[in-house]
Amino acid sequence: MDAAVELLGSHGLRALTHRRIDVAAGLPQGSTSNHFRTRAQLLQGVVEHLVAMEQTVFDAEERPQSIDGLVDALCAFIDLATGAQRTVTAARLALFVEAIHDHQVREVLARGREHMEEWAAETVQSVGLPEPVITARRVMWQVEGIILHRLALGGEHLSAEAEASLRACLGSDD
C-alpha cells in the first residue's frame, strides 16, 4: 500500500494500477490483484491505508497547550504536508477528488475525517477556545485550503500570511 500511495501522490489517479503497484513494490506480477481483485477494492484499500497512516500520526501527536502552540503545530503540519510529506498529501487530495464520484471512497474518507475532527475538537477545547467542534472544522478547512494552494500554486513563501490566517480563524489575531 505504501507503493500505491507513492504512485498516486507522484503520478495521479490514472497511474494507480495493479501492475504498476506490483512493479513499484518489487512484487511478482499479479500480487496486488490477488489482494484487491477490482479497481474499486484497490481504491478502497489505498484509502483505508492512508486514513490509518494519518490517524497514527495524529494519535501520536502531543496536544498543544496554548493557542500559540496550536498555531505553531498547525504551521509545522502545513510545512510537513507540503514539504517532506508532499506525495502523501497529493495522494490524499487525489482521493478527495475521486470521492466526488465514488461513494465507497467518500465513506472511508468520511470515517477517517470523523476521527480527525474529534481529535481536533478535543485539541481546540484543551487550549480553551469556545465552540470546539465548529472551531476545529473551521481550522481544518483553513489548513486544507492553505495546503491545496501551496501544492497547486506554490506559496511556501507565504508562511506569515498562513499564520495570520490561522490566528484569525482561531480568534487570536495577536
Side-chain angles (χ1 to χ4, degrees), residues 99-114:
I100 294 169
H101 307 288
D102 186 324
H103 76 278
Q104 289 176 320
V105 170
R106 185 178 325 120
E107 288 172 6
V108 177
L109 285 173
R111 285 193 301 271
R113 177 64 174 219
E114 286 175 21

Side-chain angles (χ1 to χ4, degrees), residues 71-106:
V71 170
D72 290 345
L74 291 168
C75 288
F77 174 74
I78 291 166
D79 288 342
L80 180 68
T82 59
Q85 293 291 316
R86 181 182 184 92
T87 302
V88 173
T89 303
R92 180 175 11 97
L93 292 172
L95 291 168
F96 271 47
V97 171
E98 183 64 19
I100 294 169
H101 307 288
D102 186 324
H103 76 278
Q104 289 176 320
V105 170
R106 185 178 325 120

Side-chain angles (χ1 to χ4, degrees), residues 101-132:
H101 307 288
D102 186 324
H103 76 278
Q104 289 176 320
V105 170
R106 185 178 325 120
E107 288 172 6
V108 177
L109 285 173
R111 285 193 301 271
R113 177 64 174 219
E114 286 175 21
H115 179 75
M116 304 235 182
E117 282 185 3
E118 288 171 14
W119 186 90
E122 290 168 7
T123 301
V124 165
Q125 187 171 27
S126 74
V127 299
L129 292 167
E131 299 180 313

Side-chain angles (χ1 to χ4, degrees), residues 139-156:
V139 169
M140 290 175 74
W141 294 334
Q142 190 72 15
V143 167
E144 290 164 352
I146 293 168
I147 289 171
L148 179 61
H149 181 85
R150 277 193 177 180
L151 288 180
L153 305 172
E156 288 80 1

Side-chain angles (χ1 to χ4, degrees), residues 155-170:
E156 288 80 1
H157 62 287
L158 300 175
S159 293
E161 287 87 344
E163 181 179 341
S165 179
L166 290 168
R167 286 190 180 284
C169 193
L170 291 167

Side-chain angles (χ1 to χ4, degrees), residues 31-43:
S31 297
T32 300
S33 63
N34 283 336
H35 294 283
F36 305 98
R37 302 303 272 163
T38 66
R39 180 159 176 82
Q41 289 172 342
L42 178 60
L43 276 172

